[in-house]
Amino acid sequence: MRSAFFTPIAKPLMATLAALMFLAHALCPAIALAQDAEGDEYDLDFEIPEAETPKPFNLWGRVEQRSIARFLDTDALLYKQRFYQEPEDSLLADFLLSLKPEVSYKWTEVSLYARPRFDIAWSEAKRGGTVPDEPSEEFLRDEEHWASQVLLEEGFATWRPSHAFTLEAGKKVLNWGKGYAWNPVAFVSRPKDVDDPDYAREGYVLAYADAIKSFDGPLTNIAFTPVLVPVGEDVNADLADDGSLVYAGKLYFLLMDTDIDLLFATGEDYDTRYGLDFSRNLSSNLEIHGEAALRLDYDKTLTDTQGNLRTERYDAYSFLLGLRYLNAYDTTFIAEYYHNGEGYSPSEMDDYFTLIENGYAQYLETGNDRLLKRSNLAGQDFNQSSVGRDYLYFRVSQKEPFDILYLTPTLTVIANLGDQSFSINPEVSYLIRSDLELRTRLIMPFGPEKSEFGEKLQDARTEFWITYFF
């Protein structure tokens, strides 16, 4: 008797094996036994192996130990803004231990998945979160140097009655967009870490359906994905105002071997957004992709050099163009140009940095930190990642150079084209064995005064990871 968990994948596999056996006997209908030149007999009959039934319950994951050394730039304006009252040492160490299990359970058409995260961190800094650099509200500080966090990054239920229809509800990361470092069309997803785009993110609580239809002809597939995202005081609070309900959707086409998405998101107290993305393989080793997004009635916070805040409302248009190329030596190149329609121009950033400069000078002369407090209020917008207008991202990764197995060096350059500042990030990962990986990375920002990377809090940051997979 077959198990109740005997999946549809196993059935065609068994049918294929049976068909191959039937074909072999049909080609030799009169032969059940064969003899070699010496008359030895070989039995050609054998039993068809029973397909292995997938386990309904699976548990896997990783344990990460992350060590960070941060070399602070004590002359940077962001250092003066943050530590004007209690200066920090120029060299700080942070340690983070993370347990990231993943668990899934499947029963006929229904499956469950969860990806919790458990963090314990120690920071040499006297105050403020440093691991991660901008900790979430859930990252709780128990003592001066210690912090802990328990977070469900993803957890959802799936109902898939057929390959053409899926219904999911829970906390999930929607990977909308084709870009590697940025995704302007990812309307209901948290932004990627541009220094580490592959790093797992926290999802939003939502519900969505996915319906797929296939055709013959230039249009091969079409799929529609409607999404509902509730917003409350404790649910998706950073997405929109409390009490909102965000409606989003994606219409996917596979047209003439080109992936195309049309996307939208709207809702109460949420700026309506429209998007388009595409991806196409020009050859087996060259892919191009792009995204374009329009955000209606976007309110951008601006400041002058005296900390007077104002709001500018306009329709923000953002787009990304990129390519991925793999050469004959297993070298992967990724290049992307990103125009951030919601970003700040070099002159707007200059006003913000001048505000910090003026505030710090005022504090040294009079002890009055009024302007610095105003700069901190503006910094909620200006101190975020990728706040400029135009960026270039370039990444080159070499698989197993000099025939060193499981070694992968990578070099990433992120440039703000508006103020000519940039960051250089070399990285090396080495898989000691299938379940143990070592990884090290150095992040070095460069730029003139009053530029994004030139005024970064850190002169350099080194990271060392030890990851055990189970």
Side-chain angles (χ1 to χ4, degrees):
M1 179 178 178
R2 288 191 177 94
S3 168
F5 303 107
F6 194 86
T7 67
I9 298 176
K11 294 180 180 178
L13 176 62
M14 294 295 295
T16 302
L17 290 173
L20 289 174
M21 287 297 300
F22 176 80
L23 179 62
H25 284 279
L27 292 175
C28 305
I31 301 178
L33 296 174
Q35 292 184 337
D36 64 3
E38 297 179 357
D40 294 331
E41 294 184 349
Y42 298 93
D43 188 356
L44 296 180
D45 293 329
F46 59 90
E47 294 183 359
I48 301 174
E50 187 74 19
E52 184 177 347
T53 303
K55 298 178 181 178
F57 177 82
N58 289 282
L59 174 65
W60 70 102
R62 63 180 64 188
V63 179
E64 292 178 349
Q65 195 280 317
R66 181 180 176 188
S67 304
I68 301 175
R70 301 187 302 130
F71 301 85
L72 301 186
D73 183 358
T74 57
D75 294 324
L77 290 173
L78 293 186
Y79 176 91
K80 296 173 181 178
Q81 178 194 50
R82 184 171 180 180
F83 301 118
Y84 67 93
Q85 290 181 319
E86 297 182 53
E88 285 282 5
D89 296 333
S90 58
L91 175 60
L92 296 177
D94 302 324
F95 301 93
L96 176 67
L97 181 64
S98 298
L99 173 62
K100 301 179 179 180
E102 297 182 59
V103 58
S104 68
Y105 179 81
K106 181 176 176 58
W107 181 72
T108 61
E109 300 171 353
V110 177
S111 60
L112 303 174
Y113 172 81
R115 180 165 58 88
R117 174 176 171 175
F118 308 91
D119 293 332
I120 298 176
W122 181 90
S123 175
E124 193 175 6
K126 291 188 288 290
R127 65 183 182 88
T130 57
V131 182
D133 288 337
E134 298 296 335
S136 64
E137 293 181 358
E138 294 85 356
F139 208 88
L140 304 176
R141 242 164 226 288
D142 300 324
E143 297 180 11
E144 186 177 14
H145 296 283
W146 288 93
S148 61
Q149 176 178 240
V150 178
L151 177 67
L152 179 64
E153 292 187 318
E154 285 191 297
F156 54 88
T158 303
W159 179 50
R160 185 173 289 115
S162 71
H163 70 280
F165 182 79
T166 301
L167 183 64
E168 287 190 337
K171 194 173 188 180
K172 184 178 176 66
V173 177
L174 292 182
N175 294 310
W176 286 6
K178 309 299 184 185
Y180 179 74
W182 300 280
N183 295 116
V185 301
F187 301 141
V188 288
S189 295
R190 289 181 170 84
K192 295 177 178 177
D193 178 359
V194 68
D195 289 323
D196 196 355
D198 292 323
Y199 197 70
R201 294 171 287 165
E202 180 187 0
Y204 282 122
V205 176
L206 51 83
Y208 83 92
D210 193 37
I212 304 172
K213 179 69 174 177
S214 299
F215 305 93
D216 293 326
L219 179 60
T220 308
N221 291 305
I222 185 172
F224 179 57
T225 307
V227 183
L228 290 177
V229 189
V231 179
E233 183 178 353
D234 299 318
V235 179
N236 304 330
D238 59 337
L239 184 64
D241 291 341
D242 187 8
S244 300
L245 181 61
V246 176
Y247 306 87
K250 180 178 71 170
L251 188 61
Y252 164 79
F253 303 92
L254 179 56
L255 178 63
M256 300 177 65
D257 295 326
T258 303
D259 291 309
I260 301 172
D261 292 312
L262 302 177
L263 312 101
F264 77 92
T266 188
E268 184 181 358
D269 298 319
Y270 181 84
D271 298 341
T272 298
R273 306 166 202 204
Y274 301 100
L276 165 71
D277 69 29
F278 77 92
S279 174
R280 180 179 176 86
N281 290 323
L282 299 181
S283 65
S284 60
N285 59 348
L286 177 61
E287 178 263 357
I288 61 171
H289 55 266
E291 301 183 27
L294 178 64
R295 181 173 180 175
L296 304 181
D297 296 327
Y298 171 61
D299 290 329
K300 180 164 70 174
T301 300
L302 298 170
T303 183
D304 61 15
T305 58
Q306 296 302 309
N308 298 309
L309 300 181
R310 68 185 189 277
T311 300
E312 178 181 328
R313 174 170 291 187
Y314 63 98
D315 296 338
Y317 174 65
S318 304
F319 67 88
L320 176 144
L321 291 173
L323 61 85
R324 185 189 299 252
Y325 175 70
L326 175 66
N327 67 14
Y329 301 99
D330 271 342
T331 309
T332 301
F333 300 88
I334 300 175
E336 291 183 339
Y337 167 71
Y338 172 47
H339 172 73
N340 179 15
E342 303 172 18
Y344 294 99
S345 67
S347 63
E348 292 167 344
M349 293 296 296
D350 187 270
D351 287 343
Y352 170 64
F353 286 128
T354 302
L355 168 61
I356 302 175
E357 188 177 53
N358 293 341
Y360 189 69
Q362 181 189 66
Y363 177 75
L364 292 180
E365 293 175 5
T366 67
N368 187 337
D369 61 356
R370 179 180 60 88
L371 287 182
L372 281 174
K373 287 182 176 178
R374 287 189 178 184
S375 76
N376 273 294
L377 185 61
Q380 297 175 12
D381 296 294
F382 283 86
N383 289 351
Q384 297 181 26
S385 176
S386 302
V387 294
R389 285 272 179 87
D390 296 284
Y391 290 91
L392 181 65
Y393 181 93
F394 178 75
R395 178 182 176 93
V396 56
S397 178
Q398 177 62 56
K399 181 181 179 182
E400 299 179 350
F402 311 110
D403 295 327
I404 303 176
L405 294 178
Y406 313 121
L407 180 71
T408 305
T410 301
L411 178 66
T412 302
V413 178
I414 307 166
N416 184 324
L417 302 179
D419 60 19
Q420 287 79 54
S421 65
F422 59 94
S423 173
I424 298 178
N425 307 344
E427 177 183 325
V428 177
S429 65
Y430 180 61
L431 198 65
I432 296 180
R433 59 191 195 194
S434 61
D435 59 355
L436 187 62
E437 181 187 48
L438 303 181
R439 178 184 172 198
T440 185
R441 178 171 62 179
L442 174 64
I443 299 176
M444 299 177 292
F446 299 91
E449 293 183 356
K450 298 183 181 180
S451 65
E452 179 185 1
F453 291 101
E455 299 294 350
K456 284 290 188 183
L457 185 63
Q458 301 160 81
D459 261 333
R461 183 170 91 235
T462 62
E463 300 182 3
F464 180 71
W465 306 62
I466 302 176
T467 305
Y468 172 73
F469 303 92
F470 60 87

